[in-house]
Amino acid sequence: MNRAPLKRSKILHMALMGASDPSGEAEASEEKPFLLRALQIALVVSLYWVTSISMVFLNKYLLDSPSLQLNTPIFVTFYQCLVTTLLCKGLSTLAACCPGAVDFPTLRLDLRVARSILPLSVVFIGMITFNNLCLKYVGVAFYNVGRSLTTVFNVLLSYLLLKQTTSFYALLTCSIIIGGFWLGVDQEEAEGTLSWTGTLFGVLASLCVSLNAIYTKKVLPAVDGSIWRLTFYNNVNACVLFLPLLLLLGELQALCHFAQLGSAHFWGMMTLGGLFGFAIGYVTGLQIKFTSPLTHNVSGTAKACAQTVLAVLYYEETKSFLWWTSNMMVLGGSSAYTWVRGWEMKKVQEDPSSKEDEKSSMGV
């Protein structure tokens, strides 16, 4: 049986809507032996974990390393966008030269498309900038708690912008996340390690992540549903919009006085950060393709837990019982929300009439 390849636009739709591709999964399970499929899933999940965790630790080094002493977070973010843009264009050119060897869409810069995507690009810039600024001011161990309100903003914005209600059980999981967030902030303050600036950037990053998901669905038709075209245009727009910020904030001048500006090690680390930024989008889609959106969310939660433990060990930090409790509340609430939404989606698919019940259920 021949199986049509799963398009990246379909992958994004599945990721945003929380719906899996049951027919594709059934076909794949029939075609491949269980052991081979289990090995593929393990390799893909491991690749996602390694890429994501490595990117966070590397960005922390670039943004807040005492040995590097580079205080140009906007330039770091700009350079990562530039690397992603060049990689997209390079792979597109390679695909055109070697049609059978590389599967990548043709990329041509269309100013009309770039303008139509501009609102999303502004949100995208906010998302990646606030993420990096949060990481600059807070520790890697607190990073996940600091940006943990994405799910809460998803629920709030879905109601405010899309008029979609949320069930009581989903709201209950959101309250657990909020409780974990506030407990984490309280414990960081008690330990004298709290950065209100970093925490604010984390909240803004969470808001932008939610807005990014909503606006992505709106602008995908402008790029023919292609994730890579959208990535290309977002990063091109970001590179252009970052330039005046670099001038206004004086980061170009600070960069000129940077002691390691001519260091091959510095530029190697910067480029590696850009490569990880490009790769995370690919491995995320790959993980969803080989598992499901629900499994991807569970894997992301488990990865966040592992990342927190690694950060505490690597930086030789000592955390209180209540601090760990706050992390477990955030991770547990996020996992519970994923499970509740998956269960509700499955119930709606099995019984379409229950969709009306869901809309009339207690919610925001």
Side-chain angles (χ1 to χ4, degrees):
M1 181 186 297
N2 293 327
R3 181 188 175 195
L6 191 61
K7 292 183 178 179
R8 292 187 179 90
S9 57
K10 180 68 173 177
I11 293 172
L12 180 62
H13 177 75
M14 289 156 49
L16 293 173
M17 300 303 292
S20 60
D21 185 16
S23 60
E25 289 174 1
E27 289 175 10
S29 60
E30 289 175 6
E31 290 174 0
K32 297 177 182 177
F34 171 77
L35 190 59
L36 177 60
R37 179 161 173 77
L39 181 61
Q40 285 181 327
I41 291 174
L43 288 173
V44 168
V45 171
S46 299
L47 183 63
Y48 169 76
W49 278 42
V50 170
T51 303
S52 181
I53 292 175
S54 299
M55 183 177 70
V56 171
F57 277 89
L58 179 57
N59 280 346
K60 182 62 177 177
Y61 167 76
L62 292 170
L63 293 163
D64 192 38
S65 171
S67 62
L68 201 61
Q69 294 184 339
L70 177 66
N71 189 26
T72 57
I74 303 299
F75 175 75
V76 171
T77 312
F78 161 78
Y79 188 81
Q80 290 174 347
C81 290
L82 181 62
V83 170
T84 298
T85 302
L86 295 175
L87 282 171
C88 285
K89 190 59 182 175
L91 287 172
S92 174
T93 303
L94 190 60
C97 297
C98 311
V102 180
D103 178 24
F104 206 85
T106 302
L107 298 178
R108 293 186 182 88
L109 185 60
D110 187 330
L111 293 180
R112 288 176 298 178
V113 175
R115 281 196 299 268
S116 67
I117 292 174
L118 192 58
L120 173 65
S121 297
V122 173
V123 174
F124 172 75
I125 288 171
M127 180 180 72
I128 58 177
T129 302
F130 291 138
N131 267 326
N132 279 348
L133 287 171
C134 174
L135 187 56
K136 176 178 173 61
Y137 289 103
V138 306
V140 176
F142 184 68
Y143 183 54
N144 286 305
V145 173
R147 300 179 311 118
S148 61
L149 297 181
T150 299
T151 300
V152 178
F153 281 121
N154 281 342
V155 170
L156 185 61
L157 293 177
S158 292
Y159 176 73
L160 293 176
L161 301 180
L162 306 177
K163 304 303 178 185
Q164 294 177 355
T165 56
T166 304
S167 69
F168 170 76
Y169 293 109
L171 289 176
L172 194 60
T173 63
C174 287
S175 67
I176 295 173
I177 295 172
I178 294 172
F181 172 80
W182 280 115
L183 180 60
V185 169
D186 176 74
Q187 290 304 298
E188 283 284 307
E189 187 172 30
E191 294 179 5
T193 55
L194 177 67
S195 167
W196 282 108
T197 302
T199 303
L200 175 61
F201 284 136
V203 173
L204 291 174
S206 300
L207 174 61
C208 288
V209 169
S210 298
L211 285 171
N212 187 71
I214 291 173
Y215 281 109
T216 293
K217 288 188 282 187
K218 290 185 176 182
V219 303
L220 265 177
V223 290
D224 302 320
S226 170
I227 289 180
W228 288 121
R229 285 197 182 98
L230 183 61
T231 300
F232 174 70
Y233 277 105
N234 257 341
N235 283 276
V236 167
N237 283 343
C239 287
V240 174
L241 293 174
F242 272 133
L243 290 175
L245 285 176
L246 291 172
L247 291 170
L248 288 171
L249 297 175
E251 290 201 3
L252 289 180
Q253 185 178 0
L255 197 65
C256 291
H257 295 91
F258 178 53
Q260 300 185 45
L261 187 61
S263 167
H265 171 76
F266 165 67
W267 288 108
M269 291 294 102
M270 287 282 287
T271 303
L272 187 60
L275 288 171
F276 277 127
F278 174 84
I280 192 64
Y282 178 76
V283 296
T284 297
L286 203 62
Q287 181 170 246
I288 295 170
K289 177 181 178 180
F290 277 89
T291 58
S292 69
L294 178 62
T295 306
H296 166 66
N297 287 332
V298 172
S299 173
T301 302
K303 186 274 303 180
C305 183
Q307 181 177 292
T308 300
V309 173
L310 282 173
V312 170
L313 294 174
Y314 180 78
Y315 293 106
E316 299 179 346
E317 298 173 344
T318 302
K319 300 297 182 182
S320 67
F321 173 76
L322 286 178
W323 187 93
W324 286 107
T325 301
S326 72
N327 276 266
M328 291 302 102
M329 287 176 67
V330 166
L331 297 174
S334 300
S335 297
Y337 177 84
T338 299
W339 183 85
V340 167
R341 292 300 294 159
W343 174 72
E344 290 173 350
M345 290 283 185
K346 185 177 180 181
K347 188 171 67 172
V348 169
Q349 289 173 357
E350 291 175 352
D351 183 15
S353 62
S354 65
K355 191 170 184 179
E356 296 301 320
D357 298 334
E358 183 186 346
K359 287 182 178 180
S360 61
S361 65
M362 182 177 179
V364 293

